[in-house]
Amino acid sequence: MRALVTGGAGFIGSHLSEALVNRGDEVFVLDDLSTGRFENIEHLGDRVTCVVDTTLNQDTVREMVREVDVVYHLAASVGVQLVVSQPTRTLINNIKGTETVLEETCRYRRRLLITSTSEVYGKGTKEIFYEHDDRVVGPTDRPRWGYAASKAVDEYLAMAFWREKRHPVVITRLFNTVGPRQTGRYGMVVPNFVRQALRNEPVTVYGDGKQTRCFAYVGDIVPALIGLMDRKDLSGAVFNVGNDESVTIEELAHRVIARTGSTSKVVLVPYEEAYGPGYDDMLHRRPSLEKIGAAIGYKPTTNLDQILDAVIADMRAREERDGAPAT
Ligand code: UDP
């Protein structure tokens, strides 16, 4: 199988590329290296062909799509901090990039997997989110919801291509994926906390820390993406992908401190200070995994402590290798 991974030099994309290479696929990566890093796939050597360009470049997308059998579309502007600070780029990258990938995969009839996000559920107050749930998003003057809207437009576009052209596309909604190689530079909480704890700096919990999240290990997510891609009968459908073990952000901070053996203290930082005025957080975000469980037998197997240990070990190794604190 020949696979194209857009965003293949990013955190999840690089793990996916590696898994595909390991099962014998020929892998092509398209990445503009905006948030991805070539070092993430360097170890794969010539088993991966990497093109540095953006999914906004339709000619490049067309040439690469033509060469492969399937396309995993992961390239996007991600990370709450990036999204809030660069809303124009986020909206254009996410909407236009996905439109281009849809057009070209449809032209050559290549099976496509789109990675969307649990953000599309917005600030619904449900305990568990099901794929068919209503979306509850905030007003247009709050950039966070622009990200949610851009990914929802991607989903609407994918559904439209499926309905009107029978384009074989499957949509995944990823919930807080973490693991080695993830950077904290764009706001993601686990690498941020681990970095702070390793430096014995204050661990910054935003808000009152009572908000909860479910953190999924990238090593559990990647086989799910491949499993959904391989099931050709699963087109025109949306699947939650994640872990359903929930933790408060305050508890997460304490666990990171304990597992790193750090002397850090937890500090509460008001949302306004962290993200600027008018930031809406969501209280809980937990996926129903019933649908993907029934479809491909998916069940996450890595618990939070195992995930944290993997992230801590990776950050320590990076610091040692680079001789500088990992970010
Ligand atoms: N968060 C935090 N400290 C940080 C970074 C994030 O307390 O240094 C909080 C953030 O406000 C949110 C949760 O951790 O409630 C998860 O944040 P992240 O940006 O990782 O993901 P998302 O908000 O998209 O779930």
Side-chain angles (χ1 to χ4, degrees):
M1 185 87 84
R2 289 152 73 91
L4 167 61
V5 181
T6 74
F11 156 54
I12 303 174
S14 65
H15 286 279
L16 173 62
S17 300
E18 188 168 338
L20 292 170
V21 161
N22 286 342
R23 77 165 190 176
D25 286 1
E26 199 175 331
V27 178
F28 296 77
V29 162
L30 173 61
D31 200 302
D32 66 0
L33 302 182
S34 53
T35 56
R37 287 184 295 193
F38 184 67
E39 298 86 81
N40 287 342
I41 50 170
E42 206 171 8
H43 64 289
L44 299 176
D46 59 8
R47 296 190 297 167
V48 163
T49 306
C50 180
V51 172
V52 181
D53 203 344
T54 138
T55 48
L56 301 179
N57 187 340
Q58 189 135 5
D59 290 340
T60 303
V61 173
R62 181 177 309 147
E63 280 166 29
M64 295 191 82
V65 165
R66 203 173 41 206
E67 296 304 314
V68 298
D69 305 301
V70 297
V71 177
Y72 295 85
H73 178 45
L74 280 73
S77 294
V78 291
V80 167
Q81 227 128 51
L82 183 74
V83 160
V84 169
S85 62
Q86 301 182 2
T88 314
R89 201 172 110 187
T90 299
L91 292 169
I92 291 173
N93 274 353
N94 292 359
I95 298 173
K96 183 86 188 89
T98 300
E99 181 190 345
T100 305
V101 170
L102 275 162
E103 278 175 359
E104 296 307 325
T105 49
C106 186
R107 181 191 310 276
Y108 295 108
R109 218 168 166 77
R110 303 298 193 243
R111 182 161 169 76
L112 172 64
L113 179 140
I114 288 196
T115 47
S116 181
T117 163
S118 55
E119 281 276 323
V120 299
Y121 291 110
K123 52 182 178 176
T125 53
K126 294 189 63 184
E127 286 280 318
I128 298 178
F129 289 109
Y130 291 83
E131 289 84 349
H132 57 263
D133 279 340
D134 287 341
R135 304 173 45 239
V136 184
V137 290
T140 51
D141 61 359
R142 305 206 166 173
R144 177 182 196 140
W145 304 119
Y147 174 62
S150 71
K151 296 301 263 186
V153 168
D154 288 354
E155 292 195 20
Y156 282 121
L157 272 172
M159 286 296 184
F161 270 80
W162 161 248
R163 282 208 194 92
E164 288 179 21
K165 302 173 197 287
R166 276 296 178 258
H167 180 20
V169 52
V170 61
I171 298 164
T172 55
R173 285 188 188 146
L174 305 187
F175 281 68
N176 296 80
T177 309
V178 291
R181 296 186 204 140
Q182 186 177 33
T183 163
R185 274 176 291 167
Y186 311 107
M188 275 76 165
V189 66
V190 168
N192 256 343
F193 282 3
V194 171
R195 189 195 63 238
Q196 291 167 335
L198 288 178
R199 296 182 195 169
N200 297 310
E201 290 171 357
V203 173
T204 54
V205 169
Y206 300 159
D208 64 5
K210 302 287 181 254
Q211 69 272 36
T212 66
R213 293 293 187 273
C214 298
F215 295 96
Y217 190 53
V218 67
D220 284 332
I221 296 304
V222 160
L225 301 182
I226 296 173
L228 288 170
M229 175 64 98
D230 286 348
R231 281 284 304 275
K232 294 196 173 56
D233 55 318
L234 299 176
S235 291
V238 181
F239 294 92
N240 288 339
V241 188
N243 189 313
D244 49 10
E245 179 192 347
S246 190
V247 64
T248 67
I249 297 302
E250 185 184 27
E251 161 68 13
L252 175 72
H254 289 294
R255 280 223 225 168
V256 169
I257 290 171
R259 299 195 86 77
T260 48
S262 169
T263 57
S264 292
K265 297 273 172 290
V266 172
V267 293
L268 297 185
V269 178
Y271 283 117
E272 185 147 324
E273 217 173 280
Y275 299 110
Y279 186 77
D280 269 340
D281 201 9
M282 58 267 290
L283 206 48
H284 305 298
R285 198 197 256 171
R286 182 172 170 203
S288 157
L289 298 175
E290 279 170 33
K291 191 171 172 185
I292 187 167
I296 60 166
Y298 171 77
K299 206 172 165 14
T301 57
T302 317
N303 68 32
L304 185 59
D305 286 340
Q306 294 168 314
I307 295 173
L308 292 180
D309 290 348
V311 173
I312 293 163
D314 171 63
M315 234 180 234
R316 282 199 166 120
R318 277 198 278 155
E319 293 209 5
E320 215 157 277
R321 189 195 57 205
D322 302 341
T327 54

